[in-house]
Amino acid sequence: MLIDATAVPADRGGVGRYVDSLVAALDQDGARLTVVCQPRDLSLYDRLAPGARVVPASPATSTRTARLTWEQATLPRLVRKLAADVVHSPHYTMPLASGAASVVTLHDATFFTDPVLHSSVKARFFRAWTVAALRRATLCVVPSQATAEELARVSPLRHADLEIIHHGVDTERFHPPSPEEIAAARAAVGIGGTPYLAFLGALEPRKNVPALIRGFARAVAGWREAPALVLAGQPGWDTQVERALDAVPHRLRVIRAGYLPFGTLAGFLGGAELVAYPSLGEGFGLPVLEAMACGAAVLTTRRLSLPEVGGDAVAYCGVGAGDVAAAITELLADPTRRAFLSAAAQERAKEFSWATTAERHREAYAKAWDRHRHTR
């Protein structure tokens, strides 16, 4: 079994957390595993998966174009050299002629259903590779029922051809924080002792951050001592964020904290009055699950997979600024409701584990190999 981890970026977002956590859980489960990774990640995967064979790819794979060339020209030779029976490509693209059974993870269908939420280049690229994977892969994995249904709607693929495997949550990193962890997170974002609402994710159109900013400003407009809003995550490319920030009254604080180290996330999420994630659609919604595991009261939307993750343990709102404002107003005024959501979120988060995710992936690999050897 070979996992191609070369598409994982240096700054670990959702895809990086998926691959890293899956590799570690597979190794812990005793899988015979080979991980091919960027040279910079060699020591990381040696540490995450001490029982695995970790192989560095060429340093030339650091750009997307070079990596794709390597994936098609060099990876198949490496697969044959290492005698891998199954190759798992965990981020849309795959070697088209490796000779092994192929498993591809398709995280999201919004490139088809809501292309305006992505750059035109990115939407075209991932649509093309999704279609290629659906046609050419031995088996495809998706992280939610919602994503499976969306892909079935936009492609001729039968629903049974997709393996639905939920992500897990890393409870060592994402847990109800100690007072010390909360203090450290507050120091990291420069919030001092001010209560705050938290958002964690890339500032891209799909995350609906401008509506969150405007909704927050409306909700706390009349407060004498208003909480702050802290936006943490990669800068992204949503040009409307700056416009929304410019309209926030000067007396209200909106802090752009940027990328936060993993060690601060439990304190950041668990220390917030409320974690708001008014996304326009997710393939899974890992930030929501991670906030739940930290004991946060979470506000999100019912778009696509998010109710699969949150269930009855989170609060929901519409995607407009007025909807967000009304929900924030209601939750900030009701500490009993927030405490209930915090407790319910922690319990529901226990239903999602990387151990279970790894077990389901091993079943998918076995299914792919069985299908491959019977069709050769």
Side-chain angles (χ1 to χ4, degrees):
M1 175 60 231
L2 183 149
I3 294 182
D4 174 15
T6 57
V8 176
D11 292 334
R12 260 47 181 181
V15 172
R17 297 208 286 285
Y18 161 63
V19 176
D20 293 353
S21 299
L22 176 61
V23 165
L26 285 168
D27 183 68
Q28 193 167 12
D29 196 40
R32 295 180 59 188
L33 190 63
T34 296
V35 181
V36 183
C37 65
Q38 297 279 355
R40 64 164 189 266
D41 289 333
L42 187 62
S43 61
L44 170 67
Y45 286 113
D46 277 334
R47 186 172 69 254
L48 289 176
R53 174 170 52 179
V54 182
V55 180
S58 164
T61 56
S62 57
T63 67
R64 175 180 289 178
T65 301
R67 196 200 74 80
L68 289 169
T69 301
W70 170 89
E71 179 183 65
Q72 301 306 318
T74 305
L75 181 56
R77 295 198 298 269
L78 186 59
V79 169
R80 291 190 289 271
K81 178 182 177 181
L82 297 174
D85 294 327
V86 180
V87 175
H88 181 189
S89 301
H91 191 53
Y92 297 96
T93 69
M94 60 178 284
L96 296 174
S98 73
S102 53
V103 175
V104 180
T105 301
L106 304 173
H107 296 272
D108 196 336
T110 59
F111 304 108
F112 295 91
T113 57
D114 288 292
V116 296
L117 300 179
H118 307 276
S119 70
S120 59
V121 172
K122 184 177 179 180
R124 287 196 301 271
F125 176 85
F126 284 109
R127 280 200 303 268
W129 272 106
T130 297
V131 170
L134 291 172
R135 289 176 177 169
R136 302 287 294 272
T138 312
L139 184 149
C140 290
V141 169
V142 293
S144 65
Q145 179 78 25
T147 297
E149 291 174 356
E150 290 290 281
L151 286 174
R153 188 164 64 84
V154 300
S155 76
L157 188 78
R158 297 194 320 275
H159 193 271
D161 291 331
L162 296 172
E163 290 292 313
I164 302 167
I165 305 177
H166 286 154
H167 294 339
V169 63
D170 182 349
T171 53
E172 289 189 8
R173 284 178 169 165
F174 297 97
H175 55 265
S178 67
E180 292 75 19
E181 288 174 312
I182 293 174
R186 284 180 167 278
V189 302
I191 196 68
T194 304
Y196 66 94
L197 283 68
F199 168 86
L200 177 64
L203 303 185
E204 60 184 36
R206 186 158 52 112
K207 306 306 181 185
N208 203 23
V209 175
L212 171 59
I213 295 169
R214 293 193 295 269
F216 161 77
R218 291 187 198 179
V220 301
W223 286 49
R224 184 180 236 170
E225 295 183 6
L229 172 63
V230 182
L231 309 173
Q234 301 288 4
W237 58 280
D238 190 343
T239 57
Q240 296 302 310
V241 170
E242 293 298 334
R243 184 174 299 179
L245 288 171
D246 288 343
V248 175
H250 292 302
R251 65 181 190 80
L252 299 179
R253 294 182 68 187
V254 180
I255 298 171
R256 296 184 63 168
Y259 181 82
L260 294 180
F262 275 124
T264 64
L265 293 183
F268 173 66
L269 296 169
E273 300 295 303
L274 181 67
V275 173
Y277 196 75
S279 175
L280 297 174
E282 297 292 322
F284 180 74
L286 197 54
V288 168
L289 178 58
E290 291 168 344
M292 290 164 62
C294 294
V298 178
L299 173 65
T300 189
T301 70
R302 294 189 182 276
R303 293 295 183 94
L304 297 180
S305 64
L306 291 166
E308 282 183 61
V309 177
D312 294 329
V314 302
Y316 296 99
C317 65
V319 298
D323 301 313
V324 175
I328 289 175
T329 298
E330 182 178 340
L331 287 166
L332 288 181
D334 192 348
T336 301
R337 171 71 172 155
R338 297 202 310 274
F340 170 82
L341 290 174
S342 171
Q346 292 175 61
E347 286 303 308
R348 182 166 177 83
K350 293 175 183 177
E351 300 175 18
F352 298 83
S353 75
W354 286 114
T356 300
T357 302
E359 181 182 346
R360 291 290 319 283
H361 275 75
R362 293 189 72 172
E363 292 170 359
Y365 301 152
K367 182 176 180 179
W369 168 241
D370 186 64
R371 182 181 295 178
H372 176 74
R373 66 190 179 90
H374 282 99
T375 55
R376 285 190 294 180

